[in-house]
């Protein structure tokens, strides 16, 4: 008898709950309920999903939408800065697939990684790095801020740089139609770059059966890794054949970082087993549920260096291992004798009007290298790599880094703020064209098996990696680098960092200066540039009535 009464009470409770749910929906309406739930913080939204079936359906729908959330805080206390930034990015419903954080040089990296990791699931990939500055929406004012920290002692007193170098930028993302994995480039006795590329490729093919859609790449600082060029350049060289040309590869080529891959926190400077680089891998999700569209990446580049002088050919090249430099002599088509460093540099500085030789110069070296992969036959590729000029004397020209071979061709480049500003305008025009294309509604009524309509595509977020030499001091005003995105996509999440080496892999003709020589030359590492990664969403096709 008691059991029957309990069953009866349970049935009545179920009916009452169902009736209450229906009454609630009838009273406030599904649209209003959707509006209310969409304004809940992420943690409250997760709890609300357990209330009833109708709420769960609405919230699951919200969590499958594209979402990039970012916020920065300049709170002088690390705990306070992390709390402000994380609270802001989690102020609306989101199902994080990854977390990227950048902190000021005065904050402790390991402590920051722990504080940030404590706020998210241990299964979410998290990368925290020390940067030279941050861009993004202020967690308190909601205004876009450009915060630049100077790492050069000579510029500490400049009014455009902050005396304090505290700050935290946190970016959290959910990208529909993509899976996210974290792949480290381990550093034990040597850099296993081939294994790194192979791991990325195999993980992507296991996920989707195709090349990655995108890769966010972070590497250690030049100062802490003498073999930097092999750690970064080699994987990107191989990516010409290991990955599709459509794979978007961007990132920061000079940062100290920590990461969480879902198992443990791993330092990039561990004495036992460290990571020279880490890749955040985005693969197509073949198991996505019905009704979910696809995220697409669009990479754009604003260059900031101009070529100057003739083209040279390197001769008598020798790497100097103790200071990670290369010494060389050079010839040109007009000069057949081997020129020393002073003979090479004097006319370059004269053309610049710099008689004190104080301007920073780079050599853009075109390297023809043999690419070997087990997936394709041996092939030759052309890559351009920028290396800073250190000095020149009566014997040699000295440049930073290694990897130059005899008979590699090169040309000098110098920072040019007018070119950089014009290049930003070009990027803005490209974004305007992208916006027009995405805003176009496509309707196809010619299908005899049933008409299909496409919902409007849209940009939902963007990221930026800018050279630390740019910014307010370089342009004389703030937000020049950010202006292309902010002007074309107002109100859309946008964030970024100042870094020491900008990664953008692709066929960029910006450095060719009208020359068709080696038109297939690719450049992966840039100087005085800004790299833009724009994220758009392509909704699934829906039947038209």
């Amino acid at each position: 008898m008691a059991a029957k009464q309990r069953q009866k009470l349970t049935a009545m409770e179920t009916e009452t709950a169902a009736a209450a749910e229906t009454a609630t929906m009838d009273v406030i309406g599904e649209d209003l309920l959707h509006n209310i739930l969409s304004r809940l913080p992420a943690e409250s939204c997760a709890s609300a999903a357990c209330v009833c079936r109708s709420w769960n359906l609405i919230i699951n729908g919200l969590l499958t939408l594209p979402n990039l959330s970012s916020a920065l805080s300049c709170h002088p206390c690390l705990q306070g800065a992390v709390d402000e930034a994380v609270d802001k990015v989690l102020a609306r419903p989101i199902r994080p697939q990854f977390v990227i954080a950048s902190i000021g040089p005065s904050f402790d990296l390991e402590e920051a990684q722990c504080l940030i990791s404590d706020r998210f699931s241990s299964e979410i990939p998290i990368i925290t790095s020390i940067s030279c500055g941050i861009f993004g929406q202020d967690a308190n004012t909601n205004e876009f801020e450009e915060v630049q920290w100077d790492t050069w002692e000579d510029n500490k007193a400049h009014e455009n740089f902050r005396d304090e170098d505290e700050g935290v930028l946190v970016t959290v993302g959910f990208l529909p139609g993509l899976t996210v994995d974290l792949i480290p480039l381990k550093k034990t006795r040597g850099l296993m770059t081939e294994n790194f590329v192979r791991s990325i490729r195999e993980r992507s093919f296991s996920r989707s059966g195709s090349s990655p859609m995108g890769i966010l790449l972070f590497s250690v600082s030049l100062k802490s890794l003498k073999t930097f060029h092999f750690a970064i350049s080699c994987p990107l060289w191989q990516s010409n054949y290991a990955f599709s040309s459509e794979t978007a590869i961007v990132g920061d080529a000079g940062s100290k970082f920590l990461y969480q891959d879902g198992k443990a926190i791993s330092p990039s400077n561990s004495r036992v087993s460290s990571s020279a680089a880490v890749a955040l891998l985005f693969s197509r999700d073949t198991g996505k549920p019905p009704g979910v569209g696809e995220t697409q990446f669009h990479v754009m580049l604003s260059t900031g260096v101009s070529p100057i002088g003739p083209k040279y050919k390197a001769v008598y090249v020798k790497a100097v291992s103790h200071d990670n430099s290369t010494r060389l002599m050079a010839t040109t088509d007009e000069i057949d004798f081997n020129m020393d460093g002073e003979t090479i540099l004097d006319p370059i500085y004269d053309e610049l009007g710099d008689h004190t030789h104080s301007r920073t110069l780079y050599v853009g070296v075109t390297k023809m290298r043999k690419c070997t992969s087990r997936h394709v036959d041996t092939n030759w590729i052309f890559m351009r790599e920028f290396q800073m000029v250190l000095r020149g004397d009566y014997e040699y020209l000295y440049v930073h880094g290694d990897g130059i071979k005899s008979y590699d061709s090169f040309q000098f480049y110098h920072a040019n703020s007018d070119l950089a500003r014009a290049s930003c305008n070009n990027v803005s025009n490209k974004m305007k064209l992208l916006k027009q294309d995405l805003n176009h509604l496509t309707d196809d009524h010619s299908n005899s098996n049933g008409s299909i309509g496409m919902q409007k595509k849209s940009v939902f977020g963007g990221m930026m990696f800018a050279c630390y030499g740019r910014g307010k001091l370089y342009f004389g005003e703030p937000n020049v680098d950010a202006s292309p995105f902010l002007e074309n996509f107002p109100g859309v999440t946008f964030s970024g960092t100042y870094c020491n080496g900008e990664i953008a892999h692709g066929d960029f003709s910006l450095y060719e200066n009208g020359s068709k020589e080696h038109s297939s030359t690719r450049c992966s590492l840039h100087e005085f540039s800004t790299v833009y990664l724009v994220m758009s969403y392509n909704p699934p096709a829906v039947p038209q009535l």
Side-chain angles (χ1 to χ4, degrees):
M1 185 70 178
K4 290 184 179 180
Q5 289 179 342
R6 283 196 298 271
Q7 291 178 356
K8 185 175 181 180
L9 287 173
T10 301
M12 292 176 60
E13 290 171 353
T14 302
E15 291 176 2
T16 302
E21 177 182 339
T22 303
T24 301
M25 291 289 293
D26 292 340
V27 171
I28 66 176
E30 184 175 354
D31 290 343
L32 181 56
L33 181 59
H34 184 282
N35 195 349
I36 294 172
L37 294 176
S38 67
R39 297 173 184 271
L40 291 178
E43 294 181 3
S44 300
C45 188
S47 301
C50 302
V51 171
C52 60
R53 183 173 180 274
S54 61
W55 286 27
N56 184 274
L57 290 174
I58 293 175
I59 290 172
N60 277 332
L62 290 171
L63 295 179
T64 59
L65 296 175
N67 198 341
L68 189 72
S69 181
S70 183
L72 68 81
S73 170
C74 291
H75 196 289
C77 168
L78 177 58
Q79 177 77 65
V82 169
D83 287 344
E84 286 184 353
V86 174
D87 287 346
K88 186 67 175 180
V89 299
L90 297 180
R92 292 294 177 89
I94 188 171
R95 182 181 290 157
Q97 288 177 307
F98 64 91
V99 179
I100 299 174
S102 298
I103 66 171
S106 66
F107 283 151
D108 182 78
L109 181 58
E110 186 172 356
E111 182 184 359
Q113 174 72 6
C114 291
L115 290 173
I116 294 169
S117 299
D118 287 345
R119 299 292 303 273
F120 297 93
S121 166
S122 60
E123 298 179 356
I124 298 174
I126 300 174
I127 301 173
T128 304
S129 64
I130 297 176
S131 69
C132 301
I134 52 179
F135 310 80
Q137 185 184 50
D138 188 281
N140 296 309
T141 67
N142 292 328
E143 297 293 328
F144 187 86
E145 296 288 345
E146 175 182 322
V147 182
Q148 192 170 8
W149 305 302
D150 187 31
T151 56
W152 300 95
E153 293 297 329
D154 292 342
N155 292 332
K156 287 291 186 182
H158 197 283
E159 63 181 2
N160 282 326
F161 287 107
R162 296 174 61 92
D163 294 330
E164 307 85 8
D165 49 9
E166 301 96 355
V168 171
L169 171 71
V170 177
T171 301
V172 178
F174 176 78
L175 311 184
L178 299 181
T179 62
V180 182
D181 294 284
L182 190 145
I183 309 293
L185 169 59
K186 293 294 186 180
K187 180 179 180 294
T188 51
R189 293 183 179 179
L191 292 173
M192 308 296 289
T193 55
E194 292 185 4
N195 291 342
F196 182 53
V197 175
R198 188 179 301 116
S199 296
I200 294 174
R201 177 183 171 86
E202 290 178 351
R203 181 66 61 85
S204 180
F205 270 79
S206 69
R207 293 282 195 183
S208 63
S210 62
S211 292
M213 293 292 289
I215 298 171
L216 283 180
L217 186 61
F218 296 83
S219 81
V220 299
S221 170
L222 286 168
K223 295 180 180 179
S224 61
L225 184 64
K226 288 187 176 181
T227 51
F228 166 80
H229 295 291
F230 292 103
I232 297 303
S233 298
C234 288
L236 294 182
W237 287 3
Q238 295 177 43
S239 69
N240 283 295
Y241 301 100
F243 310 134
S244 163
S245 60
E246 300 301 317
T247 301
I249 305 178
V250 301
D252 182 349
S255 60
K256 185 178 180 182
F257 62 87
L258 292 171
Y259 66 86
Q260 169 184 293
D261 60 4
K263 298 179 181 179
I265 297 175
S266 303
S268 61
N269 59 349
S270 170
R271 295 181 179 180
V272 180
S273 178
S274 64
S275 294
V278 62
L280 203 58
L281 170 65
F282 299 93
S283 307
R284 185 176 284 107
D285 184 6
T286 56
K288 65 181 181 180
V292 175
E294 289 188 349
T295 298
Q296 296 179 334
F297 297 124
H298 314 269
V299 179
M300 302 177 191
L301 175 71
S302 168
T303 184
V305 290
S306 295
I308 186 170
K311 291 187 177 180
Y312 298 85
K313 198 166 290 288
V315 294
Y316 289 98
V317 179
K318 182 177 177 60
V320 183
S321 59
H322 72 271
D323 63 355
N324 192 30
S325 67
T326 298
R327 72 185 191 193
L328 57 91
M329 303 176 78
T331 64
T332 67
D333 291 340
E334 291 76 22
I335 301 175
D336 58 0
F337 64 87
N338 299 329
M339 293 181 286
D340 58 53
E342 290 182 351
T343 305
I344 296 170
L345 288 177
D346 284 346
I348 299 297
Y349 283 116
D350 287 344
E351 188 173 344
L352 288 173
D354 179 12
H355 303 294
T356 62
H357 292 204
S358 60
R359 293 282 291 274
T360 300
L361 290 177
Y362 301 89
V363 290
V365 186
T366 301
K367 303 179 179 182
M368 184 178 74
R369 299 292 184 265
K370 184 184 293 186
C371 179
T372 303
S373 171
R374 66 177 183 175
H375 301 287
V376 297
D377 296 331
T378 299
N379 209 331
W380 292 92
I381 58 175
F382 292 93
M383 297 293 299
R384 176 170 285 106
E385 182 175 317
F386 291 96
Q387 297 179 223
M388 183 183 293
V389 175
L390 300 176
R391 66 187 184 279
D393 58 25
Y394 64 93
E395 288 186 302
Y396 298 103
L397 174 70
Y398 296 84
V399 300
H400 189 269
D402 55 13
I404 302 177
K405 294 184 178 181
S406 292
Y407 305 110
D408 282 346
S409 63
F410 68 89
Q411 190 171 13
F412 286 98
Y413 288 80
H414 67 100
N416 186 330
S417 59
D418 292 334
L419 172 69
R421 190 180 290 271
S423 184
C424 281
N425 291 334
N426 291 336
V427 170
S428 181
N429 291 333
K430 290 180 181 179
M431 289 189 183
K432 186 178 299 183
L433 292 175
L434 174 64
K435 182 178 180 179
Q436 293 172 356
D437 177 58
L438 295 178
N439 284 341
H440 179 67
L441 294 175
T442 303
D443 293 291
D444 182 3
H445 300 283
S446 61
N447 190 338
S448 60
N449 295 324
S451 298
I452 299 296
M454 295 296 295
Q455 296 174 327
K456 187 170 69 173
K457 303 176 183 179
S458 62
V459 167
F460 66 89
M463 299 180 69
M464 178 172 71
F465 299 90
C467 174
Y468 70 90
R470 293 170 67 126
K472 291 176 281 190
L473 179 60
Y474 189 57
F475 292 110
E477 59 178 309
N479 297 336
V480 173
D481 284 312
S483 61
F485 192 95
L486 297 178
E487 292 172 0
N488 284 285
F489 307 107
V492 177
T493 299
F494 185 61
S495 64
T497 62
Y498 284 110
C499 50
N500 184 20
E502 311 83 61
I503 299 174
H505 185 60
D507 185 4
F508 297 105
S509 60
L510 300 170
Y511 302 114
E512 298 297 335
N513 199 25
S515 172
K516 295 183 179 180
E517 180 185 8
H518 304 318
S519 58
S520 61
T521 299
R522 290 177 173 265
C523 185
S524 301
L525 301 174
H526 306 270
E527 294 289 348
F528 272 90
S529 69
T530 297
V531 176
Y532 303 85
L533 178 66
V534 181
M535 305 176 188
S536 66
Y537 181 64
N538 186 9
V542 294
Q544 282 191 343
L545 298 177

